[in-house]
Amino acid sequence: MGELRAEASGRDAAGFELPVLLFAGFRSIIDEMHRELAERGHPEVRPAYGYALQAVGRGGATASEIGRRLGVSKQAAGKTVERLEALGYVERVDDPRDGRRKLVRLTARGVDVLVKSAEGFERLRTRWVEVLGADRVRAMEADLRTMVPEGAFRLDAAGWFDN
């Protein structure tokens, strides 16, 4: 990483550095978030679980819906749901609209980890603002929104998020 930091000299960086730096920034935020969540009562949470909990949503969802929202197969979503259920973050209940289906719902523990995650991400963003300045962080966010095609974000590479 020392070679990448040397590029702050003002000359253009090599093309490979942009994705490496974006990924390293992402990992630094995610890793710090998960250290904080572990300290705040959620040591077993993995990055992919947070995305799955968000895919469950406030109203609940079926395993198929979770899979579609995450861009993974129903089977992959089902395995994640099984793990989240074993950890106490979700529960499966009969779908009140269709008794043949099971609905996955957040438990109080699932809501707690999402609330703590949101608070933690706010703290991390605040630290970036303290170091880089609010204008630079807002500009970086706007630039990334411009460059990332709408709907391009999918979690079909869940292995990237596992420790």
Side-chain angles (χ1 to χ4, degrees):
M1 218 36 186
E3 297 82 25
L4 295 179
R5 293 187 194 283
E7 291 302 326
S9 63
R11 70 178 178 87
D12 284 343
F16 73 89
E17 292 183 46
L18 179 61
V20 171
L21 287 168
L22 288 169
F23 186 71
F26 168 79
R27 271 315 293 244
S28 70
I29 290 170
I30 295 300
D31 290 349
E32 188 163 345
M33 170 56 58
H34 285 271
R35 280 190 297 274
E36 183 178 316
L37 286 173
E39 292 168 3
R40 296 185 72 198
H42 298 281
E44 63 285 317
V45 172
R46 299 292 172 257
Y49 298 168
Y51 296 108
L53 291 170
Q54 290 177 35
V56 170
R58 292 176 189 245
T62 65
S64 294
E65 291 167 334
I66 294 167
R68 275 193 302 277
R69 292 172 186 172
L70 295 175
V72 300
S73 69
K74 176 183 175 182
Q75 292 77 14
K79 286 183 182 183
T80 301
V81 167
E82 286 175 16
R83 183 69 181 135
L84 291 171
E85 187 175 29
L87 293 169
Y89 290 104
V90 299
E91 63 184 355
R92 294 182 214 221
V93 298
D94 290 332
D95 186 335
R97 296 167 291 177
D98 184 346
R100 298 168 296 171
R101 298 184 339 162
K102 288 290 186 182
L103 195 61
V104 179
R105 291 191 317 200
L106 297 173
T107 62
R109 184 163 172 75
V111 171
D112 182 63
V113 75
L114 287 176
V115 167
K116 287 178 178 169
S117 294
E119 294 167 353
F121 281 126
E122 286 300 320
R123 279 190 294 279
L124 289 167
R125 186 181 184 283
T126 296
R127 194 167 73 244
W128 279 53
V129 167
E130 289 168 357
V131 172
L132 301 173
D135 290 342
R136 288 183 66 192
V137 171
R138 278 194 298 271
M140 177 176 41
E141 291 167 339
D143 290 344
L144 289 170
R145 281 186 203 99
T146 298
M147 296 306 298
V148 175
E150 186 147 340
F153 185 67
R154 291 180 43 153
L155 294 177
D156 49 7
W160 290 8
F161 303 105
D162 294 334
N163 289 334

